[in-house]
């Protein structure tokens, strides 16, 4: 009789351990022997920037308020003046992050010109091949950015604001867009 109680107690303990393991996600039925995460010290993991509410669709003439977030900080260097007849305005965008990040960005920053709160130019199509972005805190990554001054309609001379957008896909994560600007430019 004592052996039955001992066996029943052991069976109850094993059953309880199986229930706890299943509730903790250990009993998911994967018989492939997935190893537990490595908890040994190593390099700092990639910090994924917080995602924005998705990639903002840019439409000619639409109201423009750049979303916040994205995790990257953008600084632009564009000329103070440019001729509309040139057809494009080129500059440089510097990307920084306060924490280490690793992932993929486009080869060029997407440049948007805005006048009176409305989109005056939209970014052109980019090459789908990205480049690795592996930033240490406060390190900088420079990328070119060009605005097509005829992407919506031929612009008239006047004061515009330049904005930059950089889409970043962290290792194992989803795309997050970061915006920089406004930087003033006078088109002649």
């Amino acid at each position: 009789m004592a052996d039955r109680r001992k066996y029943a107690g052991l069976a109850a303990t094993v059953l309880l351990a199986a229930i706890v393991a299943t509730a903790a996600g250990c009993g998911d039925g994967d018989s492939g022997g997935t190893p537990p995460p490595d908890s040994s010290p190593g390099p700092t993991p990639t910090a994924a920037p917080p995602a924005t509410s998705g990639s903002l669709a840019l439409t000619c003439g639409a109201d423009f308020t750049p979303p916040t977030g994205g995790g990257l900080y953008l600084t632009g260097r564009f000329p103070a003046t440019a001729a509309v007849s040139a057809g494009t305005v080129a500059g440089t965008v510097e990307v920084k992050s306060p924490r280490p990040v690793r992932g993929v960005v486009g080869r060029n920053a997407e440049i948007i010109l805005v006048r009176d709160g409305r989109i005056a130019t939209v970014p052109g199509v980019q090459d789908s091949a990205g480049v690795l972005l592996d930033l240490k805190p406060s390190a900088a990554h420079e990328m070119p950015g060009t605005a097509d001054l005829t992407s919506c309609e031929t612009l008239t001379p006047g004061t515009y604001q330049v904005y930059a957008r950089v889409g970043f896909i962290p290792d194992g994560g989803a795309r997050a867009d970061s915006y920089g600007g406004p930087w003033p430019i006078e088109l002649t």
Side-chain angles (χ1 to χ4, degrees):
M1 180 89 147
D3 286 337
R4 278 191 195 170
R5 285 188 195 149
K6 183 177 172 182
Y7 177 74
L10 180 60
T13 302
V14 170
L15 180 59
L16 181 60
I19 291 170
V20 169
T22 301
C26 297
D28 62 0
D30 180 13
S31 61
T34 304
D38 182 11
S39 61
S40 62
T44 305
T46 298
T52 59
S53 60
S55 190
L56 178 66
L58 301 172
T59 306
C60 295
D63 289 335
F64 181 75
T65 303
T68 59
L72 301 176
Y73 298 97
L74 310 182
T75 304
R77 289 188 303 276
F78 292 86
T81 61
V84 173
S85 61
T88 61
V89 171
T92 304
V93 175
E94 184 178 83
V95 179
K96 288 187 175 184
S97 174
R99 60 185 172 267
V101 293
R102 181 178 168 88
V104 176
V105 294
R107 293 188 184 280
N108 301 303
E110 298 175 307
I111 305 303
I112 307 140
L113 264 60
V114 174
R115 186 172 193 186
D116 300 325
R118 296 192 176 275
I119 295 173
T121 67
V122 293
V125 177
Q126 286 201 29
D127 183 350
S128 63
V131 296
L132 176 64
L133 180 66
D134 189 2
L135 285 178
K136 305 298 182 238
S138 299
H141 171 78
E142 286 194 359
M143 53 197 324
T146 302
D148 177 359
L149 300 181
T150 60
S151 64
C152 291
E153 59 185 47
T154 302
L155 300 182
T156 58
T159 303
Y160 292 79
Q161 295 77 42
V162 178
Y163 288 88
R165 174 171 72 179
V166 172
F168 174 67
I169 304 171
D171 289 349
R175 178 181 167 129
D177 290 339
S178 296
Y179 289 81
W183 304 293
I185 188 168
E186 186 73 25
L187 296 183
T188 58

